[in-house]
Amino acid sequence: TTQIIGNTIMSIDGCVGVKKYEPDEIVLRTKEYMLKIGGIELSMLTFSQGRVNIRGEIKSLNIEAL
């Protein structure tokens, strides 16, 4: 499950790993897809039990099947 609140907060369930973590791009891996989040001043607030919460100005979202 992925939820986006406005363009500043995002919550992703089912995350199994972080491929990239930069202020302008975060790439997360789930069992089924890669999720690329592009933006400005992105940061992970939490990563616990497969749930990731991201804050920052979200500009783009790209989902790639594995």
Side-chain angles (χ1 to χ4, degrees), residues 18-53:
V18 178
K19 293 277 289 179
K20 183 175 182 180
Y21 184 61
E22 300 288 334
D24 63 343
E25 184 179 45
I26 296 175
V27 180
L28 304 173
R29 185 177 185 281
T30 72
K31 291 180 181 178
E32 300 156 357
Y33 57 87
M34 297 286 283
L35 184 63
K36 295 181 181 182
I37 303 127
I40 300 169
E41 296 181 10
L42 298 174
S43 63
M44 288 193 316
L45 300 175
T46 58
F47 184 169
S48 177
Q49 298 178 345
R51 170 169 258 186
V52 177
N53 293 303

